[in-house]
Amino acid sequence: MERQLYLLDANGMVASQTLQLPLPESNEVASQALEYLVKGGPVTQKLPNGFQAVLPTGTEILELNLKDNGEMIVNVSKEFKNYQAENELKILQAMTYTLTQFDGVDDIKLQIDGQPQQTMPVNGTPIGEGYSRANGINFVKSDSVDLMKSKPVTLYYPSVQGDNHYFVPVTQYVDVENRDIYGSMINTLLEGPGFDTNLQHVFNSQAELTNNPSLRNGVLEVMFSQDVLQNSQKQDDDKAVIADEVMETLVRTLTQDESVEAVEVKVEDVETLFNENGEPYTEPVTKQKFISTQKL
């Protein structure tokens, strides 16, 4: 079966890789996912080039217990404590994102040999209230943003390692213009990632939003100038193609908001958009097009 595992890429960023894992017992799906995060464990032969596991060697997943409120209690062995302080947040983020890929899991709480942990054991990161995707991942600082007038959001950027194309979630503060969080997120994507991140900028430099995004019945409508098209100098007889990585970047980023079930991308003076295979977008795009989900 396919499973998303959050591992460390060659740049030291936490990113998911979809790997084929043996079919487990139905009640061991989440435990198996964590076991495949352990260094020297069963994931070793499956690691893509440049990627490495994050949990300390010898860590055992003793028990997982999902509460009705979406809280997953994760009980691990004492070997879990054997990590460097600089890896503490990466370990937390990898565990959290791997487990919250399952429908019904909202956050995690940690136990070591059955003892509840209020802080992480090496660098003291507070975890007593639980840890969720809202805590962020792969933090990127921006000196140009006023933290008092901004909000932390997680954006997705493509990355490439050899023949491996994947997406990296990055949490950064963005200026919220006129309380339009969706427009602010998209404008940050249009600006592209920082030069020091080794992430890809997939939008044409002249592309811009022409209207504020509007949310209706779970569908977020986004209107761009024609510069967003793969061939921004579109002729009348050409299909209006939007690059697949542009669409996936938008949908992965915007559907993190629970209010957004799908994204409808529109372009000024264009009736129908097509993907790179020449297939038309006839309905709004959901994250399920790119990410499979499973309920525990």
Side-chain angles (χ1 to χ4, degrees):
M1 65 185 304
E2 288 190 343
R3 181 68 61 228
Q4 286 184 75
L5 301 179
Y6 281 80
L7 306 164
L8 284 185
D9 72 4
N11 300 310
M13 304 191 87
V14 181
S16 71
Q17 291 288 284
T18 301
L19 302 183
Q20 296 278 349
L21 306 187
L23 188 66
E25 298 291 333
S26 59
N27 62 345
E28 295 178 355
V29 173
S31 293
Q32 181 198 53
L34 282 189
E35 288 167 358
Y36 272 76
L37 300 188
V38 177
K39 293 179 181 178
V43 75
T44 304
Q45 302 303 318
K46 297 178 178 290
L47 286 172
N49 287 339
F51 278 81
Q52 57 180 302
V54 292
L55 296 188
T57 303
T59 299
E60 295 181 36
I61 312 304
L62 302 178
E63 185 181 18
L64 296 184
N65 184 9
L66 180 60
K67 303 293 187 180
D68 291 339
N69 63 357
E71 185 177 273
M72 177 72 86
I73 308 298
V74 181
N75 186 14
V76 296
S77 65
K78 62 181 183 300
E79 287 81 6
F80 177 82
K81 300 178 181 180
N82 300 325
Y83 61 85
Q84 301 298 312
E86 60 266 24
N87 292 326
E88 184 163 281
L89 285 180
K90 295 176 182 180
I91 289 170
L92 259 179
Q93 293 163 8
M95 293 175 66
T96 299
Y97 270 67
T98 296
L99 288 174
T100 55
Q101 74 180 280
F102 299 106
D103 290 341
V105 182
D106 297 326
D107 65 307
I108 69 171
K109 281 192 173 181
L110 182 68
Q111 295 181 355
I112 299 178
D113 280 339
Q115 298 300 310
Q117 305 295 302
Q118 296 301 309
T119 61
M120 285 288 281
V122 176
N123 208 36
T125 300
I127 54 173
E129 298 300 316
Y131 208 84
S132 73
R133 293 195 177 201
N135 290 96
I137 187 170
N138 295 319
F139 295 96
V140 173
K141 295 180 180 179
S142 176
D143 296 332
S144 61
V145 173
D146 184 348
L147 295 184
M148 297 297 292
K149 299 178 181 179
S150 60
K151 180 179 179 179
V153 297
T154 299
L155 311 171
Y156 279 80
Y157 294 103
S159 187
V160 178
Q161 181 72 35
D163 295 330
N164 185 5
H165 292 248
Y166 59 98
F167 278 78
V168 178
V170 171
T171 300
Q172 61 190 97
Y173 280 83
V174 301
D175 289 319
V176 181
E177 304 158 8
N178 303 319
R179 297 187 178 180
D180 176 17
I181 184 62
Y182 303 123
S184 300
M185 293 168 72
I186 294 169
N187 283 326
T188 304
L189 288 175
L190 291 173
E191 293 171 4
F195 292 113
D196 57 346
T197 61
N198 292 309
L199 301 174
Q200 290 189 312
H201 188 189
V202 295
F203 289 89
N204 296 326
S205 59
Q206 302 301 314
E208 61 182 6
L209 283 174
T210 57
N211 285 318
N212 290 336
S214 61
L215 182 63
R216 187 173 302 149
N217 298 325
V219 177
L220 186 68
E221 182 180 297
V222 182
M223 177 73 77
F224 287 99
S225 66
Q226 290 196 14
D227 297 299
V228 79
L229 298 175
Q230 190 175 55
N231 178 7
S232 58
Q233 305 300 317
K234 186 181 77 70
Q235 304 299 317
D236 291 340
D237 57 346
D238 289 338
K239 287 183 176 179
V241 175
I242 187 165
D244 293 345
E245 284 189 324
V246 167
M247 182 64 78
E248 188 167 354
T249 296
L250 289 167
V251 173
R252 279 181 178 266
T253 295
L254 296 169
T255 56
Q256 292 175 98
D257 189 313
E258 292 183 356
S259 301
V260 180
E261 299 171 9
V263 179
E264 183 170 13
V265 177
K266 294 186 174 182
V267 174
E268 278 191 329
D269 301 322
V270 171
E271 184 174 339
T272 304
L273 283 175
F274 294 82
N275 65 19
E276 291 180 20
N277 290 329
E279 300 162 337
Y281 285 105
T282 57
E283 55 187 31
V285 183
T286 67
K287 69 179 178 180
Q288 281 72 27
K289 179 175 177 63
F290 311 109
I291 309 167
S292 61
T293 58
Q294 178 180 344
K295 189 172 181 65
L296 291 180

